Amino acid sequence: AGGDRVTTGITIGEKATLAVSSAAAERIYRSAGTATELSTRLAIESGGSGLWLPQETILHDGARLQRQFEIDLAGDSALVFGELLYFGRRASGEGFGRGALCESWRVRRGGRLIFADETRLSGDFSDDILHPAALGGHVALATLLFAAPDGPDHIDAIRETLREEEGLEGGATLLDGLILIRFAAANAALLRNHFMALAEFLARRIARPMPRALSH
């Protein structure tokens, strides 16, 4: 809720492995004016591997969220890092068209910045967010990061999994050894199913099981 601040800091040691998930969806409720601040810092040391796959984050109308991700990877580490973001609960007639969303991503590999991304929404953006140049008719967004020592070798296989489906758009980009996957959908359930299938596909690529909370 408005004004809450949560910081998560995790270091995965040399040759260690860790899977992180959550038991339920994360809800960001309407704020009277103060932003909720969520900060995640993840470091993976040499030879380590990790999965970060929480349940979805739901933005309720009027929510004000500042969210930051800082990821530091050793050159030979492996990672599957995913986030699901729902703009309201459309099945319940709820949207997210006013409030604020400030989201920042920074990923470093071997101490060098390889990915930086910023999102800024504020005020009443109910018309803008559904513009074809923005989300269009989509109401949910997924982000997956995949890193491995042989990461670039997996880009073609990953792109083959991003099948074209009505109401779903996405793509995968290779960024100096890091693979960024983003897709959006007009149906949150469709997005989540595709996200989980792709996350499991990526987890197998680094020989890691899915977190128990997400197992079928």
Side-chain angles (χ1 to χ4, degrees):
D4 287 341
R5 289 188 288 274
V6 179
T7 298
T8 302
I10 296 173
T11 298
I12 301 176
E14 186 174 345
K15 297 182 180 179
T17 64
L18 180 68
V20 179
S21 187
S22 59
E26 180 177 60
R27 299 175 183 272
I28 311 298
Y29 292 105
R30 179 175 61 86
S31 169
T34 308
T36 295
E37 298 179 18
L38 304 178
S39 178
T40 298
R41 297 180 177 88
L42 173 66
I44 306 182
E45 297 178 355
S46 179
S49 64
L51 300 180
W52 174 277
L53 295 169
Q55 308 282 354
E56 60 270 18
T57 296
I58 301 171
L59 296 170
H60 291 260
D61 205 33
R64 303 182 65 84
L65 173 63
Q66 293 182 5
R67 190 162 74 156
Q68 183 180 30
F69 298 103
E70 293 272 353
I71 302 171
D72 288 284
L73 305 172
D76 61 347
S77 64
L79 173 67
V80 177
F81 191 103
E83 284 285 338
L84 284 163
L85 193 60
Y86 292 2
F87 294 85
R89 297 188 306 169
R90 300 305 172 106
S92 300
E94 303 170 11
F96 175 63
R98 61 185 178 86
L101 172 63
C102 299
E103 186 170 275
S104 175
W105 292 73
R106 296 290 185 275
V107 182
R108 293 174 175 82
R109 192 167 184 87
R112 188 162 60 90
L113 182 67
I114 58 174
F115 176 59
D117 188 60
E118 297 287 329
T119 299
R120 295 288 185 269
L121 295 170
S122 62
D124 184 346
F125 45 82
S126 52
D127 292 333
D128 296 336
I129 199 172
L130 297 178
H131 190 279
L135 282 178
H138 302 315
V139 300
L141 180 69
T143 300
L144 276 163
L145 301 176
F146 177 75
D150 60 348
D153 297 340
H154 299 276
I155 185 68
D156 290 337
I158 290 171
R159 284 173 174 160
E160 287 177 5
T161 71
L162 295 173
R163 61 185 182 277
E164 292 188 9
E165 192 167 340
E166 186 176 356
L168 181 72
E169 291 186 64
T173 302
L174 182 61
L175 300 168
D176 198 9
L178 176 75
I179 297 177
L180 166 67
I181 307 155
R182 273 204 171 131
F183 46 100
N187 181 292
L190 172 65
L191 183 88
R192 191 180 194 281
N193 289 339
H194 193 65
F195 174 89
M196 292 303 173
L198 183 53
E200 186 171 8
F201 172 83
L202 296 175
R204 289 198 302 268
R205 294 265 159 170
I206 60 172
R208 302 305 309 158
M210 288 285 282
R212 185 176 299 176
L214 304 180
S215 298
H216 298 294

